[in-house]
Amino acid sequence: MALPRLLARGLAWPGCGRALHRAASASAPAAADFNSFVARTNTCGELRSAHVGQEVTLYGWIQYQRQGLFLVLRDFQGLTQIIIPQDEAHTHVKKLLSDAPVESVVRVTGTVSLRPPGQENPKMPTGDIEVKVETAEILNSCKKLPFEIKDFIKKTEALRMQYRYLDLRSFQLQYNLRLRSQIVMRMREYLCNLHGFVDVETPTLFKRTPGGAKEFLVPSREAGKFYSLPQSPQQFKQLLMVGGLDRYFQVARCYRDEGSRPDRQPEFTQIDIEMSFVDQAGIRRLIEGLLQYSWPEERGSITTPFPSMTYEEALADYGTDKPDTRFGMKIVDISDFLRRPDIQFVQNALSYPCGTVKAICIPQGVRYLKNKDLESLKESAKSQFNQEIMDITCRPDGSLKSLLTKFLGEKQQSELIQALNMQVDDVVLLAAGEHKQVCSALGSLRLESADLLEAAGLVLRDPTVFHFLWVVDFPLFLPKEENPTELESAHHPFTAPHPSDTSLLYSDPTKVRSQHYDLVLNGNEVGGGSIRIHSAEQQRFVLEKVLKEDSEVLSHLLEALKFGAPPHGGIALGLDRLISLIVDAPSIRDVIAFPKSFKGRDLMGNAPDYVTPEELEPYHIQVSWPLAEKEAKNP
Ligand code: ASP
């Protein structure tokens, strides 16, 4: 028996059972009864030495079976070692369990006993005991699997998504989904029980909202008329405030037809919140309290209040509106050190209306970055931002090596070294040009070089650390990317201007700051919201005069604002992204039970799918097939 037992100790998921057990029990009420309403006496993660001598009934999947001697049974809560009887009276049970393929689902009854001394498995929560089987039943046998249910076995994501129900059996996905459920439960408790929020479901069949993401259309039986799937419950939550609900929240499903974007989903979930009579500080305190209350114990604690930064600061220091503040390498303005008539490219850059010269300093870049890394960083700034980059390195004797140094005297060089806090072997990347372009390019290089440094072994970002940050004072409007002479809302058209900038709305809307705030976690936007416009006239002005939208589509909202709409504001947290950061998942797909592929397809059920012309008829719709598809369908 010794050999198989030893093998059993080297189980595929050492320690995972413990994590799962924690996830299943951490925030669940202490008294949660996992065995109510069913015939099992215990789960597979539950038995300990205190149960020795008890007759138990377990249900689970065969994780592993060894030479007809023992098997490991798995369920949502953990693993239990089952000893297959070898005596003649149990020949039938032995044959049943020895022949059953892995992942078959079985019921066993037996007696809990201590493992023989020295054969305990401290990595398994149930590692002190084993169950000696008395009876067993194969409830359903498992055919040959498309992949092994083991987290460490590599499989393509397409295969995982095609057999999602099998992938869901993995410890990691079980853990992610259970933790997600507990966090949402804690959020409900905090919002509804502690702070009087009302959970209201809002429609998913609605009409187009102007501005923002593209929405999915749903045909209706009225010829030519379509519903839209809301990109968020924005209008409804504001209308609930007009309706006097005062404090609303919803675990809301949102839909955005944004085409194939990596790590975005066409349907996703928000913790959607709206409050009457609130200001920005109130919303911030609410969210800080909410996250602190629902934060899983096993991820350490988070400190509140979260720091905040203006949009302008975020752009200037980090080149993005969602700065990763877990590490330095901030962007430094070095225009003043290089303001010399003989440095032509600097002169050119500074002649722009918002001309600037800025740089980031990559610590130990000489040691950790290869020449080809530096080339690829420069190439990426060129291709993504049309921005040239110059590099400067700090030699072991402290002198600078760069095309630039011949223009700089010793004093200027040492001023530059000081401004950038350069040490021996550091590499500086320098960009000259228009402020926003330079900052965006350097912000992107900052993240790319951090990835390169980490890939080469330097630890910059501790994966167990969570840096929350509020970004505030966004501009109310930004130039449209496709046509910079027109404006679009930086957040959405219902966002109120900053109180001190209201008059600018009518004279120079591009200069207006907004009451929009974003919540950033480790460089990812995990939430955003605003104080809303509650004056019908101001809302109409923004829609018609600034955004040039047809306000008719929003006439119901404009009218509602005239009937004593209270001042109000809110926020939405992106639940999928938040959970994926908490569990350190590589993708948001790993915290969604049935995600779509990056092309928006359900690879398991094969959606979207064709429908027949007869099914389309009530909707007055005909498909006009692109030629290639027509030929493929009717060869
Ligand atoms: N509806 C907004 C969004 O989805 C959030 C908000 O303004 O409350 O981004």
Side-chain angles (χ1 to χ4, degrees), residues 559-588:
E559 196 180 12
L561 294 182
K562 290 183 190 154
F563 292 116
H568 58 288
I571 190 165
L573 298 180
L575 185 66
D576 310 299
R577 173 88 50 224
L578 180 66
I579 304 286
S580 72
L581 292 168
I582 293 177
V583 301
D584 195 20
S587 150
I588 60 166

Side-chain angles (χ1 to χ4, degrees), residues 326-443:
R326 286 173 298 173
F327 66 104
M329 283 168 65
K330 287 208 257 181
I331 300 172
V332 181
D333 192 328
I334 49 170
S335 312
D336 286 345
F337 303 101
L338 300 179
R339 220 177 271 280
R340 288 180 52 124
D342 48 350
I343 315 182
Q344 194 54 48
F345 81 97
V346 172
Q347 282 309 311
N348 289 348
L350 295 179
S351 66
Y352 284 101
C354 296
T356 184
V357 187
K358 293 182 189 286
I360 54 168
C361 178
I362 308 175
Q364 298 298 294
V366 174
R367 283 177 52 203
Y368 288 96
L369 300 184
K370 302 192 182 75
N371 274 343
K372 78 168 190 347
D373 293 333
L374 271 181
E375 284 318 307
S376 88
L377 288 171
K378 288 182 185 174
E379 186 46 49
S380 131
K382 181 82 194 143
S383 60
Q384 289 185 66
F385 301 94
N386 194 24
Q387 180 64 53
E388 297 290 348
I389 299 291
M390 178 178 279
D391 62 297
I392 311 174
T393 52
C394 189
R395 295 197 188 95
D397 64 1
S399 66
L400 297 185
K401 181 176 151 222
S402 162
L403 291 175
L404 203 61
T405 41
K406 65 173 186 254
F407 299 104
L408 304 176
E410 216 166 278
K411 181 164 169 281
Q412 275 170 316
Q413 290 199 23
S414 77
E415 279 173 354
L416 200 60
I417 290 176
Q418 230 182 353
L420 289 160
N421 192 17
M422 273 182 101
Q423 314 285 331
V424 169
D425 283 349
D426 286 357
V427 173
V428 160
L429 300 180
L430 178 153
E434 189 274 325
H435 174 75
K436 182 144 198 265
Q437 177 178 322
V438 163
C439 291
S440 306
L442 288 177

Side-chain angles (χ1 to χ4, degrees), residues 276-296:
S276 294
F277 314 113
V278 73
D279 60 9
Q280 288 197 55
I283 296 282
R284 273 152 62 172
R285 281 205 312 277
L286 164 75
I287 293 301
E288 287 161 359
L290 173 73
L291 287 169
Q292 203 156 41
Y293 187 84
S294 54
W295 197 254

Side-chain angles (χ1 to χ4, degrees), residues 153-332:
I153 298 260
K154 287 251 178 300
K155 47 232 165 215
T156 65
E157 206 184 5
L159 195 65
R160 286 176 58 198
M161 285 172 77
Q162 186 185 347
Y163 293 97
R164 189 62 167 178
Y165 45 85
L166 289 180
D167 203 25
L168 286 172
R169 290 186 192 172
S170 72
F171 273 89
Q172 192 60 57
L173 285 190
Q174 290 271 324
Y175 175 79
N176 294 354
L177 293 183
R178 282 169 201 282
L179 194 73
R180 177 180 175 134
S181 155
Q182 286 157 18
I183 291 173
V184 170
M185 183 56 122
R186 297 278 290 175
M187 288 181 164
R188 283 185 194 282
E189 268 172 36
Y190 180 84
L191 291 167
C192 295
N193 298 351
L194 301 187
H195 293 284
F197 280 75
V198 189
D199 180 352
V200 183
E201 287 162 72
T202 55
T204 46
L205 290 180
F206 195 47
K207 65 188 272 196
R208 194 181 81 81
T209 310
K214 211 151 174 266
E215 290 168 333
F216 284 99
L217 291 179
V218 180
S220 82
R221 286 168 187 256
E222 287 186 62
K225 292 195 175 172
F226 290 80
Y227 298 103
S228 272
L229 300 181
Q231 49 182 292
S232 79
Q234 186 60 36
Q235 292 185 49
F236 292 108
K237 64 176 177 171
Q238 292 193 233
L239 291 165
L240 287 170
M241 296 305 104
V242 182
L245 265 287
D246 194 71
R247 294 173 172 218
Y248 142 93
F249 110 95
Q250 179 179 194
V251 181
R253 188 51 67 88
C254 305
Y255 305 87
R256 293 183 191 172
D257 187 7
E258 297 180 317
S260 39
R261 306 257 298 258
D263 225 24
R264 290 276 176 98
Q265 287 281 301
E267 52 182 323
F268 59 96
T269 307
Q270 289 186 340
I271 300 295
D272 198 38
I273 289 174
E274 196 75 8
M275 286 176 87
S276 294
F277 314 113
V278 73
D279 60 9
Q280 288 197 55
I283 296 282
R284 273 152 62 172
R285 281 205 312 277
L286 164 75
I287 293 301
E288 287 161 359
L290 173 73
L291 287 169
Q292 203 156 41
Y293 187 84
S294 54
W295 197 254
E297 237 174 68
E298 65 230 59
R299 286 295 184 268
S301 58
I302 53 175
T303 316
T304 60
F306 303 150
S308 74
M309 190 182 285
T310 67
Y311 169 82
E312 281 304 331
E313 285 166 346
L315 192 66
D317 292 349
Y318 296 93
T320 170
D321 59 3
K322 39 179 194 290
D324 188 342
T325 48
R326 286 173 298 173
F327 66 104
M329 283 168 65
K330 287 208 257 181
I331 300 172
V332 181

